Amino acid sequence: METFLLLQDQDRRVRRAAVQTLNTAAHNKPSLVIAQLPALLPHLYHLTEVREDLIRTVDLGPFKHKIDDGLEIRIAAFDC
């Protein structure tokens, strides 16, 4: 399915939506994804890695706070 090819998209919001779609399909209609699992799992596992380019540091006066923009997609990939 073309929808699951979006797991490789450059936009993190598109990747998160693709992972959530895969998660929903796997839980509600497993027959849709069972045949494609060998091709999908390497991309899904890759999304669970921490990417330093998605972590930004925000100065809050004397403190620095790290914001991980990739956290949502990692959580969705682990749920899947």
Side-chain angles (χ1 to χ4, degrees):
M1 295 170 98
E2 296 84 26
T3 305
F4 301 133
L5 294 177
L6 295 174
L7 290 173
Q8 303 169 3
D9 195 85
Q10 295 298 322
D11 188 4
R12 63 182 166 87
R13 291 171 287 229
V14 173
R15 286 191 311 263
R16 181 173 47 96
V19 169
Q20 289 174 338
T21 303
L22 175 62
N23 189 16
T24 301
H27 284 91
N28 295 316
K29 285 279 195 180
S31 60
L32 291 175
V33 296
I34 197 89
Q36 297 179 359
L37 276 181
L40 292 174
L41 285 178
H43 301 296
L44 191 63
Y45 292 150
H46 179 68
L47 292 175
T48 61
E49 298 173 359
V50 177
R51 291 181 45 191
E52 294 297 323
D53 60 327
L54 294 177
I55 297 175
R56 57 188 162 104
T57 303
V58 177
D59 289 329
L60 300 172
F63 305 103
K64 291 188 178 185
H65 180 66
K66 289 187 177 183
I67 298 176
D68 188 358
D69 292 328
L71 182 62
E72 291 178 356
I73 194 165
R74 282 198 314 277
I75 291 173
F78 276 115
D79 285 343
C80 196

